[in-house]
Amino acid sequence: MAQKDTFLHLFAGGCGGTVGAIMTCPLEVLKTRLQSSGLTLRPVFQVQLGTLSGTSVLRPAPVTPGLLQVLRSILEKEGPRSLFRGLGPNLVGVAPSRAIYFAAYSKSKEMFNGVLVPNSGLVHMSSAGFAAFVTNSLMNPIWMVKTRMQLEKRARGEKKMNALQCARYVYRTEGVRGFYRGLTASYAGISETMICFLIYETLKKHLADNRFSPANSGTDKRPSDFLNLMAAAAIAKGCASCIAYPHEVIRTRLREEGSKYKYFFQTGRLVALEEGYAAFYRGLVPQLIRQIPNTAIVLSTYELIVHLLGDASQ
């Protein structure tokens, strides 16, 4: 029975992740481009007062292109297909990564429930953190290849590397260690997962308590229950993304080819010094547009499949 439950969580997590990845790929490409240091910044002029002579001087200040400008640039220079760069490794990796994540989350939740206060916030955060650690450690090479493919800029009509060619190139130029660039930033991003699941499980428990209150008798799940779960997932992911987003920018910079970014804190310091703290939130808008519906789709699909197959197995 335990093996059957594990397979159920693996299958449900994989299905949810695959559906979400296909529907939101273009937004992920836009987010990655906005996060990168290779993005062309537009200089504008600001007035700076307080020179020794008492006069003002004009100095250039970079302005980050907006989401629509980056989208227009990709469509004009690289073609619409570039909006789906990295979809191959994403599809290869998203099903096993989501499957591993949800299976690890389910198993660790059982374990922590036996040690800590059952179904408490600490249990949810610990389970989410452990599952994210396992998933990031195993899946980083695939996400590294995906990011490199999304950052590759080739003019319309020029041949682009596929996933296998990109992986071979990384191995040839950087060795096995190259596949684990950005892993420290992914570990830092575990905080986002923990915050997300803490909020999600809290909202889920509140919805369940309200659902099964005396005024709402009945045990069968209704379509509105899954819509409520989607809303809970969207709220949880939106809050968590805004809080922990800077690690995403640092991770993308660490994965750039031949870049000056070497380590997590060194990268954070360089970005802050050279571009200001606002740079840590570049790409946040497409991230929210992508991740909020994606997380809602993934979690609700997961809950639906667990519910349907769980009932069928009883």
Side-chain angles (χ1 to χ4, degrees):
M1 182 62 69
Q3 289 181 343
K4 193 171 185 179
D5 288 342
T6 300
F7 176 76
L8 173 60
H9 288 286
L10 284 167
F11 179 73
C15 289
T18 301
V19 173
I22 294 173
M23 296 180 66
T24 60
C25 184
L27 287 167
E28 186 173 12
V29 172
L30 291 172
K31 178 207 71 171
T32 303
R33 292 290 180 91
L34 283 165
Q35 290 174 342
S36 72
S37 64
L39 186 70
T40 303
L41 302 180
R42 296 182 294 107
V44 298
F45 288 94
Q46 290 181 334
V47 176
Q48 181 182 12
L49 302 177
T51 60
L52 292 176
S53 61
T55 60
S56 63
V57 295
L58 293 176
R59 64 179 179 88
V63 174
T64 305
L67 174 63
L68 294 180
Q69 291 173 303
V70 175
L71 174 61
R72 188 182 304 115
S73 176
I74 292 175
L75 291 176
E76 291 177 354
K77 298 178 181 178
E78 304 174 48
R81 292 183 62 182
S82 290
L83 291 175
F84 289 89
R85 294 289 294 158
L87 180 59
N90 213 0
L91 291 179
V92 170
V94 71
S97 71
R98 292 297 183 181
I100 291 168
Y101 182 88
F102 281 110
Y105 180 77
S106 177
K107 284 298 179 183
S108 60
K109 189 176 176 181
E110 289 180 15
M111 180 184 69
F112 286 122
N113 273 332
V115 179
L116 304 171
V117 178
N119 294 317
S120 63
L122 185 58
V123 168
H124 297 147
M125 290 183 69
S126 301
S127 303
F130 176 78
F133 179 84
V134 172
T135 305
N136 288 335
S137 300
L138 294 175
M139 303 303 299
N140 197 80
I142 293 178
W143 304 146
M144 166 65 182
V145 172
K146 179 195 70 173
T147 301
R148 282 290 180 86
M149 291 180 68
Q150 290 174 341
L151 291 175
E152 183 185 24
K153 296 180 181 179
R154 298 289 179 89
R156 187 192 295 264
E158 289 186 357
K159 188 175 181 180
K160 301 176 177 65
M161 287 192 295
N162 58 37
L164 185 58
Q165 291 171 329
C166 184
R168 287 175 175 170
Y169 179 78
V170 171
Y171 179 75
R172 187 172 66 250
T173 57
E174 302 176 50
V176 175
R177 291 184 61 183
F179 290 104
Y180 289 90
R181 292 181 61 173
L183 183 58
T184 52
S186 292
Y187 286 154
I190 290 175
S191 60
E192 177 180 341
T193 304
M194 295 171 70
I195 295 168
C196 178
F197 265 80
L198 174 62
I199 298 173
Y200 175 70
E201 291 285 2
T202 302
L203 293 175
K204 181 180 170 183
K205 184 176 183 299
H206 175 74
L207 290 171
D209 291 342
N210 186 62
R211 170 74 172 85
F212 297 117
S213 64
N216 296 288
S217 59
T219 57
D220 293 334
K221 283 188 177 290
R222 302 169 299 188
S224 60
D225 294 331
F226 293 102
L227 291 176
N228 289 335
L229 288 176
M230 289 185 72
I235 292 170
K237 188 61 180 181
C239 294
S241 293
C242 290
I243 294 170
Y245 185 76
H247 88 273
E248 293 242 7
V249 174
I250 294 176
R251 184 174 60 195
T252 296
R253 299 296 179 94
L254 286 168
R255 288 175 177 171
E256 290 179 354
E257 180 183 358
S259 69
K260 56 191 174 184
Y261 307 109
K262 306 299 180 185
Y263 308 104
F264 182 83
F265 290 108
Q266 176 254 2
T267 301
R269 182 172 176 273
L270 274 179
V271 172
L273 288 175
E274 297 178 354
E275 304 172 48
Y277 291 104
F280 287 112
Y281 288 89
R282 279 169 49 178
L284 178 59
V285 172
Q287 170 73 347
L288 291 177
I289 296 173
R290 182 186 78 89
Q291 278 287 52
I292 290 177
N294 183 55
T295 302
I297 292 168
V298 169
L299 289 177
S300 59
T301 302
Y302 168 76
E303 299 279 4
L304 178 61
I305 292 175
V306 168
H307 170 66
L308 294 176
L309 296 185
D311 285 349
S313 64
Q314 293 177 358

